[in-house]
Amino acid sequence: MNEDQKMQEPSESLDMTDSAPTNTPDGTDAPKMTARNVDVFYGEKQAIKNLSIDVSMDNVTAFIGPSGCGKSTFLRCMNRMNDTIPIARVTGEIRLEGDDIYAPQMDVVQLRARVGMVFQKPNPFPKSIYDNIAYGPRIHGLSTSKDELDHIVESSLQRAGLWGEVKDRLQDSGTALSGGQQQRLCIARAVAVDPEVILMDEPCSALDPIATAKIEELIDELRGKYAIVIVTHNMQQAARVSQKTAFFHLGTLVEYGDTTDIFTNPREEKTRDYITGRYG
Amino acid sequence: MANSGTEHTVKAFDSDINQLRGMVAEIGGRSEQAISKAMRALENSDLELAAEVVREDKLIDDLEKRIDELTFQTIALRAPMADDLRELIATFKISGVVERIGDYAKNIAKRVPIVTQTSRLTPISLLPSMSKIASELVRDALDAFARRDAELAMEVNRRDQIVDDFYNSIFRAVITHMIENPKDIGEAAHLLFIAKNLERIGDHATNVAEMVYFAATGEPMPERTRGENPATPLDDALSDEAD
């Protein structure tokens, strides 16, 4: 992390967070994660340019934009998934509840428990449904007894809207479930370690419309319990599930605001062209 | 934000939108023509022309239905967003309002056979000027739609006051005439309805202008500010534009 940039105050000139929730006395709409002046490079190529954004608990935030615009790259920065890419370099500041997630003392395993991720393709472990959920709580030592673990598994599956469908076959393999069920299993797995933020990278793109609707309904139910950020290519989905939308283009955050405004009256012409299907 | 005119990646979407724009221009043109024909029929006591206006209203009604169908279809199939969505919603509403304008013109035409001897009524001399302005408002509102011109839409909204003022003058003049010539009350009442129809046409033109403004800017049109002097209760009652 660049020390100069760490010291730098959030830029006023490129403050895309005007309309972001601000700290309120009771803290309800306080940002859960804040990014300031984030640059990301893959080798020489700059993938994210001076990006600042706030993400709150009360709103689902959607990242939209054409392929290669940096939305997934930025999402992966939010729980340091880019650490696994040797040529990736991140500068600027990303904070979770005030903690600098790129600080040397930050435990990345712990960070990823606090900031969970759900991927495009459901990726359950080749283990039982029960063990898929129990895995995280076990390694993070979140339970002290079998009963407690059972309770975490049940409540996580319930939160993910999957309990009713799997409660009688918890020992079946997670990979034997349907695609939509597998994705909800992955959400249950993320929820099991009691995260603060859930990042979703195209969570429905491999699912049929019914399974998609169930995930969208689930996202709505989880809103307020976790800060949720979703990357989606499906603009209708962004419009349906999110309250805040961020439009990315060529590595910059072009526009960030209320989803209803972005989809009915965007301020930027680039946003307008993209969401109305006039993009290049 | 005005429509920049950039084409959609899906060309069929542009073709739907262009077809709708053409249809809105047509329904607007037909309703303007209906107003001018109805007024000409009234001035010349031309019963044949009046009957033509009544007949041709059917074309306006049909056009409205076709616009609504295509708008509905386009919304369902293309899932429009932002200015596209605003334009389609505006198109849907404008077609209904313009159809009503056609109805008012038809209603004027229907009164032509009844009001053939009114040339003695002095207020009738004001009607051609009033109808000219009402008709211009309709034309300008639809031009504003074609050009996404929020400024022109605002101007239409302001100019509607002139039509309202005409109506108030005619109302007073007709009432005075009725008091002085009780035997003319029947015909004078029809005359008053004609003036009222023109006044309503002006209001509907401002409705179109409001939708144009919304489609062009994404914001509701700022409310029209009435004159410095608050209207009298009579003025207020006379100009019962849709609030």
Side-chain angles (χ1 to χ4, degrees):
Chain A
M1 173 76 80
N2 182 325
E3 285 298 317
D4 290 337
Q5 289 201 325
K6 256 174 106 177
M7 299 300 291
Q8 199 179 335
E9 283 298 308
S11 149
E12 288 297 320
S13 57
L14 200 113
D15 193 3
M16 301 302 289
T17 54
D18 277 348
S19 53
T22 47
N23 273 296
T24 50
D26 59 359
T28 46
D29 237 3
K32 190 56 147 176
M33 288 192 86
T34 56
R36 291 292 177 271
N37 310 107
V38 173
D39 290 310
V40 182
F41 299 86
Y42 290 127
E44 289 302 304
K45 189 181 178 301
Q46 188 165 7
I48 295 288
K49 295 166 190 159
N50 197 22
L51 194 147
S52 300
I53 195 169
D54 287 356
V55 169
S56 82
M57 290 284 274
D58 293 347
N59 297 303
V60 174
T61 305
F63 290 175
I64 61 169
S67 294
C69 68
K71 57 193 188 302
S72 289
T73 293
F74 183 68
L75 191 78
R76 294 163 63 86
C77 290
M78 293 174 80
N79 72 347
R80 292 182 57 174
M81 293 288 289
N82 285 329
D83 287 13
T84 59
I85 302 169
I87 58 164
R89 187 160 56 87
V90 180
T91 64
E93 184 182 85
I94 301 178
R95 288 182 181 273
L96 168 62
E97 288 278 285
D99 303 334
D100 181 351
I101 68 168
Y102 282 88
Q105 67 272 23
M106 176 58 71
D107 176 346
V108 178
V109 175
Q110 201 58 44
L111 170 69
R112 292 185 191 144
R114 291 174 70 188
V115 184
M117 194 157 206
V118 177
F119 297 88
Q120 181 170 358
K121 201 164 170 289
N123 56 352
F125 303 133
K127 289 168 174 287
S128 70
I129 293 168
Y130 185 97
D131 285 337
N132 260 279
I133 309 297
Y135 182 80
R138 275 192 192 121
I139 62 164
H140 289 289
L142 297 180
S143 65
T144 53
S145 67
K146 175 80 169 69
D147 281 356
E148 213 175 329
L149 193 57
D150 286 352
H151 176 73
I152 292 174
V153 169
E154 179 177 341
S155 65
S156 303
L157 286 167
Q158 267 171 345
R159 283 207 156 178
L162 194 58
W163 177 248
E165 291 160 60
V166 301
K167 67 177 191 296
D168 299 323
R169 47 178 177 136
L170 292 174
Q171 294 312 316
D172 288 6
S173 172
T175 54
L177 296 170
S178 73
Q181 287 173 325
Q182 285 186 22
Q183 197 60 305
R184 279 180 283 148
L185 182 66
C186 292
I187 293 172
R189 188 176 64 189
V191 164
V193 292
D194 200 20
E196 295 161 60
V197 181
I198 301 177
L199 309 174
M200 300 185 178
D201 193 356
E202 296 263 8
C204 300
S205 60
L207 305 182
D208 74 14
I210 310 269
T212 297
K214 284 185 183 163
I215 301 280
E216 289 178 0
E217 172 63 17
L218 175 59
I219 290 171
D220 201 49
E221 281 169 17
L222 297 177
R223 173 157 75 97
K225 300 186 182 82
Y226 314 98
I228 297 172
V229 182
I230 178 171
V231 162
T232 177
H233 270 132
N234 180 335
M235 278 177 294
Q236 298 294 331
Q237 178 170 64
R240 287 191 300 260
V241 303
S242 73
Q243 289 72 44
K244 294 276 178 187
T245 296
F247 171 62
F248 288 67
H249 183 67
L250 299 176
T252 57
L253 178 57
V254 173
E255 187 165 352
Y256 177 51
D258 288 345
T259 297
T260 45
D261 292 339
I262 298 278
F263 286 100
T264 59
N265 194 13
R267 282 172 295 163
E268 301 296 328
E269 193 162 326
K270 277 202 185 100
T271 316
R272 195 284 307 259
D273 285 353
Y274 181 68
I275 64 166
T276 58
R278 290 184 177 94
Y279 178 74
Chain B
M1 190 187 329
N3 189 310
S4 71
T6 324
E7 286 186 349
H8 290 90
T9 308
V10 178
K11 298 284 183 290
F13 190 4
D14 285 323
S15 131
D16 287 347
I17 286 184
N18 287 334
Q19 198 183 339
L20 278 167
R21 286 177 186 169
M23 285 158 86
V24 169
E26 188 186 341
I27 198 172
R30 284 195 182 281
S31 64
E32 267 175 66
Q33 209 176 35
I35 301 168
S36 72
K37 277 186 183 176
M39 289 309 295
R40 218 161 359 111
L42 182 72
E43 285 165 49
N44 304 329
S45 297
D46 186 339
L47 301 188
E48 183 44 47
L49 189 59
E52 191 179 307
V53 173
V54 175
R55 268 200 314 277
E56 286 180 354
D57 186 57
K58 178 82 172 60
L59 298 174
I60 295 178
D61 293 353
D62 289 346
L63 204 46
E64 184 210 4
K65 285 197 195 82
R66 280 168 45 215
I67 291 172
D68 287 358
E69 273 168 23
L70 184 56
T71 311
F72 194 57
Q73 224 176 64
T74 308
I75 290 173
L77 300 184
R78 311 274 175 218
M81 292 283 193
D83 55 343
D84 291 333
L85 178 62
R86 301 200 306 266
E87 173 167 345
L88 287 168
I89 297 290
T91 300
F92 196 74
K93 293 175 91 174
I94 286 172
S95 78
V97 170
V98 174
E99 188 275 332
R100 281 299 288 155
I101 290 174
D103 285 347
Y104 286 120
K106 180 173 78 171
N107 188 271
I108 292 172
K110 278 179 169 176
R111 294 178 197 274
V112 170
I114 309 166
V115 193
T116 48
Q117 301 304 318
T118 42
S119 47
R120 289 176 291 108
L121 271 65
T122 43
I124 201 172
S125 61
L126 288 173
L127 284 177
S129 312
M130 183 183 184
S131 87
K132 187 165 167 283
I133 292 165
S135 199
E136 277 168 11
L137 293 184
V138 174
R139 187 196 61 209
D140 289 350
L142 286 151
D143 279 357
F145 180 70
R147 306 207 304 251
R148 312 281 165 280
D149 188 340
E151 269 308 304
L152 182 56
M154 288 275 278
E155 200 208 306
V156 167
N157 190 279
R158 281 192 294 270
R159 264 160 48 206
D160 179 47
Q161 187 60 50
I162 304 172
V163 179
D164 291 348
D165 292 344
F166 260 111
Y167 177 64
N168 293 350
S169 310
I170 291 173
F171 181 86
R172 289 186 163 95
V174 170
I175 296 294
T176 310
H177 185 92
M178 283 171 163
I179 293 167
E180 288 165 0
N181 308 281
K183 65 175 189 336
D184 286 347
I185 282 179
E187 283 189 16
H190 283 293
L191 193 62
L192 199 53
F193 278 122
I194 288 168
K196 184 68 190 170
N197 286 340
L198 292 172
E199 189 267 333
R200 296 300 297 152
I201 286 171
D203 287 346
H204 281 304
T206 66
N207 288 152
V208 172
E210 281 165 15
M211 286 164 223
V212 170
Y213 189 92
F214 172 73
T217 66
E219 308 287 337
M221 186 186 272
E223 274 195 40
R224 182 168 81 185
T225 43
R226 300 244 170 102
E228 284 293 303
N229 299 320
T232 64
L234 176 64
D235 286 326
D236 205 27
L238 289 178
S239 73
D240 61 346
E241 74 225 33
D243 290 318

